[in-house]
Amino acid sequence: MKRDISCAINGRKRRFTAEPCITVLDVLRDVLHLTGTKEGCGTGDCGACTVIWNGKAVNSCLLLANRMEGADIWTVEGMMKHGKLHPIQEAFVEEGATQCGFCAPGFIMRIKALLEENPNPSDDEIVQGLVGNLCRCTGYQDIISAVRRAAEKMGA
Ligand code: FES
Ligand code: FES
């Protein structure tokens, strides 16, 4: 049976009705129409569905809607401010870190959480931090360069 859920998404209070046993990914995409968050594997292996949940990067395909009550959730739609790309998004553009782009929203949210926890990561720390996100196109080097560039832009 559907239930009412209240939480904050991208800094805005949201109240909606959803089946408690559907995934957070399905709530974001199908109930709230925030389709920036992607479904790759649906089983916790690819990171395409990464969102920031109470300050931590999580795979939204592994969480159920009944956990959303009171949560603070950020998706890629919350990254732009006043019509301007977030520095991580700018760094992706400048380093050419996307090809098909399917993985990019998940990477961007993972990198946001990483840089908030560690504003000046070493190359090893970047690689470790991104280990849960897969990209079939880029070979990762441009994504790693984008993390370095984003860290510079964000004032590390
Ligand atoms: S869709 Fe969630 S980890 Fe792949
Ligand atoms: S750019 Fe295609 S999967 Fe990463």
Side-chain angles (χ1 to χ4, degrees), residues 97-104 107 134-138 143:
T98 62
Q99 289 183 30
C100 80
F102 193 82
C103 67
F107 269 101
L134 303 182
C135 174
R136 294 173 65 102
C137 308
T138 65
I143 295 174

Side-chain angles (χ1 to χ4, degrees), residues 79-85:
M79 294 293 280
M80 270 181 95
K81 288 273 178 300
H82 311 299
K84 193 173 171 337
L85 292 177

Side-chain angles (χ1 to χ4, degrees), residues 96-150:
T98 62
Q99 289 183 30
C100 80
F102 193 82
C103 67
F107 269 101
I108 285 167
M109 301 318 287
R110 182 81 57 182
I111 293 164
K112 185 171 192 292
L114 171 69
L115 293 180
E116 280 171 3
E117 198 173 303
N118 179 1
N120 190 18
S122 66
D123 285 356
D124 279 355
E125 288 169 333
I126 295 171
V127 170
Q128 276 308 311
L130 300 184
V131 80
N133 288 64
L134 303 182
C135 174
R136 294 173 65 102
C137 308
T138 65
Y140 299 99
Q141 279 313 314
D142 293 337
I143 295 174
I144 292 167
S145 300
V147 180
R148 287 194 213 104
R149 187 184 279 256

